[in-house]
Amino acid sequence: ALERLPRINLRIFVVRRAFRTLPLYFLALAAYAVLDTGAGREQIATYAFFSQNLVTSMPPFFSVSWSLSVEEWYYLAAPFMLAASLALLPNTTNLERFRWCMLVLVVTAFVLRLVYVPDYSDWDQDIRKVVVLRVDAIALGALLGSCAIQVDARRAWVAAGALSAIALGLGLSWTALNAHRDVLSVGIALSLLFTVIPVCIFFVIRWSELRFKTRFRRAERFFADISYPLYLFHIPVLVVFASRF
């Protein structure tokens, strides 16, 4: 699709993304405002601008929204990067420029995590759920997706196996390093795992998609359709059940 576009239309991209993500997000935010009276609720105004975890730890209020902030900031940054790449890389194709932009985001997030890890003690709240440290979360998937058409089932399966072995090795290394309290080394291992594991999952999905074709894609579409509202509203549902039962 990127190769067929004569130019990058930022307005269409931003408007379509907004209609897809924002209405349900603000509906969920309203539901949380009614149901959740715990700590962090006083920061509710920051949630309207997805700045609640932009550079700081995620507040406990509406905690599932951390990933929506990552998503929305990616949707804001990526189109402008692509537009800038038209001037910086004039002799490349749209697809090549897209890949370079995604690679820049992946590398940037990796470097930022290495810099910030030694200064924080809580990996989950202070690293995993902070937007500037996770700008690669969608970029990595977009980069892999742009390469998917060139990957056949056999190569996908081999890559998944090799990367699984790497991920296992990194996980064991992390455990061993953690035992010796080597914080920087643990941070490096965790940062690598953040990159290797999603790539491995991608190749497993790609192999399944090519192997099972229609059946897999039907299931894939179903879960894609229900995943966003399910993710946003599962905690309010649990809160209601917990209060009554």
Side-chain angles (χ1 to χ4, degrees):
L2 282 168
E3 287 304 316
R4 293 196 299 270
L5 292 177
R7 62 188 176 89
I8 299 169
N9 193 317
L10 294 179
R11 185 184 61 172
I12 290 178
F13 178 85
V14 171
V15 169
R16 291 177 69 175
R17 288 291 90 189
F19 275 106
R20 184 174 178 85
T21 58
L22 296 183
L24 269 177
Y25 172 80
F26 286 109
L27 181 61
L29 180 59
Y32 277 81
V34 172
L35 295 171
D36 189 349
T37 57
R41 192 174 183 275
E42 66 279 1
Q43 302 178 47
I44 192 170
T46 63
Y47 289 77
F49 302 98
F50 298 96
S51 60
Q52 67 270 27
N53 61 323
L54 181 59
V55 294
T56 58
S57 301
M58 180 67 201
F61 174 75
F62 193 14
S63 59
V64 298
S65 69
W66 74 267
S67 63
L68 274 300
S69 295
V70 173
E71 181 178 349
E72 294 304 324
W73 282 102
Y74 166 82
Y75 289 148
L76 182 65
F80 287 101
M81 288 185 67
L82 289 167
S85 71
L86 291 171
L88 296 172
L89 302 168
N91 299 321
T92 57
T93 65
N94 285 341
L95 185 57
E96 288 170 339
R97 284 193 291 269
F98 178 79
R99 288 173 176 170
W100 275 112
C101 289
M102 297 304 102
L103 185 61
V104 166
L105 287 175
V106 170
V107 172
T108 299
F110 183 81
V111 172
L112 285 174
R113 285 198 295 270
L114 293 185
V115 171
Y116 275 84
V117 164
D119 299 326
Y120 292 85
S121 58
D122 189 335
W123 175 269
D124 183 59
Q125 294 298 322
D126 298 333
I127 304 296
R128 188 173 75 91
K129 295 180 179 179
V130 178
V131 173
V132 295
L133 303 180
R134 296 305 308 283
V135 293
D136 63 328
I138 298 177
L140 183 59
L143 178 61
L144 291 168
S146 72
C147 301
I149 196 169
Q150 299 168 334
V151 178
D152 59 31
R154 183 176 178 278
R155 281 189 293 177
W157 189 241
V158 170
L163 288 165
S164 295
I166 293 172
L168 178 61
L170 287 171
L172 293 173
S173 300
W174 170 30
T175 303
L177 290 168
N178 194 37
H180 293 89
R181 300 285 185 250
D182 188 345
V183 177
L184 181 60
S185 297
V186 172
I188 292 172
L190 283 169
S191 293
L192 287 171
L193 281 170
F194 261 110
T195 304
V196 172
I197 290 178
V199 175
C200 178
I201 292 171
F202 164 79
F203 281 114
V204 170
I205 291 174
R206 181 61 179 161
W207 172 81
S208 302
E209 187 178 41
L210 292 169
R211 184 73 182 270
F212 301 110
K213 293 191 170 94
T214 304
R215 282 177 297 171
F216 183 84
R217 290 179 184 178
R218 202 172 291 147
E220 190 178 45
R221 176 62 64 86
F222 170 75
F223 286 112
D225 287 342
I226 69 168
S227 61
Y228 184 50
L230 187 65
Y231 177 73
L232 283 175
F233 290 102
H234 73 279
I235 288 184
V237 171
L238 291 175
V239 168
V240 171
F241 270 86
S243 64
R244 294 183 178 276
F245 303 105

